[in-house]
Amino acid sequence: MTYVQSLRCRECERTYDIAPIYTCEWCFGPLEVAYDYEAIAANISRESIAAGPETIWRYAPLLPVDPPGASTLPVGFTPLLRADRLAAELGLGELWIKDDTRNPTNAFKDRVVAVALAKALEFGMKTLACASTGNLANAVAAHAARAGLHSVVFIPADLEAAKIVTTAVYGGTVVAIDGNYDDVNRLCVELASERPWAFANVNMRPFYAEGSKTLAFETAEQLGWETPDHVVVPVGSGSLLTKIRKGFDELHKVGLLDAPPAVRVSGAQATGCSPVASAFNEGSDTITPVRPSTIAKSIAIGNPADGYYTLDAVRETGGGCAAVTDDEIVEGMRLLARTEGIFGETAAGVTIASLKKLTQEGVVRPDERVVAYVTGHGLKTLDSVAPHAGVSVTIKPTLEAFHEAFPGEDE
Ligand SMILES: *Cc1c(COP(=O)(O)O)cnc(C)c1O
Ligand SMILES: [Zn+2]
């Protein structure tokens, strides 16, 4: 059983029965899942969570759908790694990396898709669909295959080749759109009103978005039920950032934390697509849509659906918002790999480069416990680092040749 009360409009608070819907009929605000937190508090404890599965479903009372049956991919409970070598390089104290590359399709999108899929199964829907910048398509195709649903994913035609292959291999329908993500999304909004499909991030969005909260739940549990002082989160639509903040607040609401969380939330964007960072840094209340042009394609959303809520979350918590260039993104990917042995994709490069920038600006401080979210695997965006990572030397297979190339007596 779940503790869901209704869907509720984020703007006017009108409530709706649970259904595959996502906007308020009155004010066109986004719908969110409303829970009975008192009932959850009475039915959840650190012990009950510890006794649960090592997946996102250990937090089932705080999710909008019951755990699905056996034929689903296990998602979540990814490592939280102390990153002392990266911290030293950046001049930080206590730094942790939440390594969400370690999910079934190697990105955090497995979390949101797992929740959307469970809800689609409950609604009796037969096709899982999405508008994707790449990783969501990966996850939708894989999870649908495992659950025996059809999948139809829509992507911008210029996506990285690796992301197309790793999606198409699951056998669903892959529709490339001659346009950018915002064009793809617009088409999917139209299709969602004429097809009985579960579009993970359109008509299923209120449920889908809740999956991102599990990143906050796991972080707190892995820190011994304490919260970080500061988190750095990559921003595409802004859903992930706002839900990580919501996740920490909910843990306190249901009595799982000893103290109210005071987590500063900072955003990370690429300068080639930084509508939220631009508004933040200009002190503006208006987010101006942009035409994306960056190697960080997974977060290249020019007109972010949750942009205003993201701006609010960053401002209300005293965080910052950085934008970094494509060169800085590649340098961020290499820095993380070189210091911690973690190979993240371009969005991870955005996060690490933004962490560096925010630290230099004094926004992220050495006295804080910091968590940076690495949300996708580097093998998905190999092309971006390929020019910077090759063999050290090519030699003949003889000792002589080796000695010639390496005359020193290194350890
Ligand atoms: C989708 C995605 C994000 C951002 O998610 P939003 O919820 O749209 O802000 C971050 N990192 C990666 C790797 C993604 O695929
Ligand atoms: Zn409304």
Side-chain angles (χ1 to χ4, degrees):
M1 61 162 290
T2 71
Y3 299 92
V4 172
Q5 288 174 323
S6 62
L7 288 173
R8 186 165 59 212
C9 174
R10 242 187 119 147
E11 293 298 324
C12 75
E13 304 203 335
R14 274 191 176 77
T15 60
Y16 295 82
D17 289 342
I18 297 299
I21 53 173
Y22 62 107
T23 34
C24 175
E25 287 172 7
W26 288 86
C27 76
F28 300 106
L31 301 183
E32 258 199 330
V33 178
Y35 298 89
D36 180 350
Y37 289 112
E38 270 182 37
I40 297 174
N43 287 284
I44 201 169
S45 65
R46 295 177 184 180
E47 293 72 31
S48 70
I49 290 169
E54 289 197 341
T55 69
I56 59 168
W57 299 109
R58 66 204 275 110
Y59 311 105
L62 286 159
L63 292 174
V65 57
D66 286 321
S71 287
T72 53
L73 296 167
V75 172
F77 220 67
T78 55
L80 181 72
L81 300 166
R82 180 84 187 236
D84 287 335
R85 288 168 48 77
L86 178 58
E89 190 107 4
L90 298 179
L92 285 172
E94 185 180 343
L95 174 64
W96 300 80
I97 299 292
K98 181 66 170 161
D99 182 8
D100 238 24
T101 69
R102 306 268 292 269
N103 268 314
T105 67
N106 308 101
F108 101 89
K109 290 296 195 305
D110 286 307
R111 298 175 184 273
V112 282
V113 169
V115 175
L117 171 75
K119 203 69 197 173
L121 290 170
E122 199 184 278
F123 286 142
M125 297 162 103
K126 303 274 189 297
T127 298
L128 197 59
C130 68
S132 176
T133 54
N135 289 321
L136 181 55
N138 269 193
V140 161
H143 290 254
R146 173 111 177 125
L149 295 189
H150 298 293
S151 68
V152 186
V153 304
F154 297 82
I155 54 171
D158 72 347
L159 212 57
E160 297 96 338
K163 282 183 182 159
I164 295 174
V165 175
T166 52
T167 297
V169 73
Y170 298 109
T173 304
V174 180
V175 184
I177 304 291
D178 196 5
N180 61 31
Y181 172 79
D182 299 281
D183 300 318
V184 175
N185 190 55
R186 213 174 310 117
L187 173 64
C188 288
V189 166
E190 287 173 11
L191 278 171
S193 67
E194 71 165 40
R195 300 283 159 131
W197 297 346
F199 278 87
N201 56 339
V202 183
N203 53 344
M204 303 300 283
R205 193 173 181 85
F207 313 104
Y208 154 98
E210 292 290 288
S212 291
K213 296 187 309 189
T214 58
L215 269 170
F217 300 160
E218 289 177 18
T219 301
E221 186 181 359
Q222 289 167 322
L223 289 173
W225 293 109
E226 288 182 2
T227 50
D229 300 313
H230 208 142
V231 295
V232 180
V233 184
V235 173
S237 71
S239 175
L240 172 63
L241 183 144
T242 57
K243 292 296 175 171
I244 284 179
R245 182 202 183 188
K246 185 183 179 200
F248 288 124
D249 289 342
E250 283 188 347
L251 290 179
H252 183 246
K253 264 189 196 158
V254 302
L256 289 166
L257 299 177
D258 294 329
V263 185
R264 301 171 69 202
V265 181
S266 284
Q269 294 204 298
T271 41
C273 184
S274 58
V276 179
S278 297
F280 179 83
N281 290 310
E282 286 159 15
S284 168
D285 287 331
T286 306
I287 291 174
T288 309
V290 301
R291 188 168 285 274
S293 171
T294 168
I295 57 169
K297 295 184 181 186
S298 59
I299 51 172
I301 299 182
N303 189 10
D306 290 296
Y308 286 99
Y309 300 120
T310 304
L311 207 48
D312 287 348
V314 170
R315 285 188 174 141
E316 286 165 16
T317 62
C321 205
V324 292
T325 65
D326 283 358
D327 285 346
E328 289 172 314
I329 292 168
V330 172
E331 180 44 37
M333 294 167 76
R334 296 171 69 201
L335 176 61
L336 178 64
R338 166 163 74 73
T339 54
E340 300 296 344
I342 300 168
F343 186 22
E345 68 147 83
T346 45
V350 170
T351 302
I352 300 304
S354 294
L355 172 64
K356 181 174 176 178
K357 186 163 279 185
L358 292 166
T359 304
Q360 284 165 349
E361 289 170 355
V363 178
V364 177
R365 300 189 313 253
D367 63 327
E368 292 182 306
R369 172 191 276 174
V370 182
V371 175
Y373 288 90
V374 167
T375 48
H377 201 288
L379 287 175
K380 292 177 178 239
T381 58
L382 263 191
D383 289 352
S384 58
V385 278
H388 306 276
V391 298
S392 304
V393 63
T394 304
I395 59 170
K396 295 235 153 55
T398 64
L399 270 177
E400 202 178 20
F402 182 80
H403 290 155
E404 199 175 310
F406 297 95
E409 296 204 353
D410 305 337
E411 270 181 48

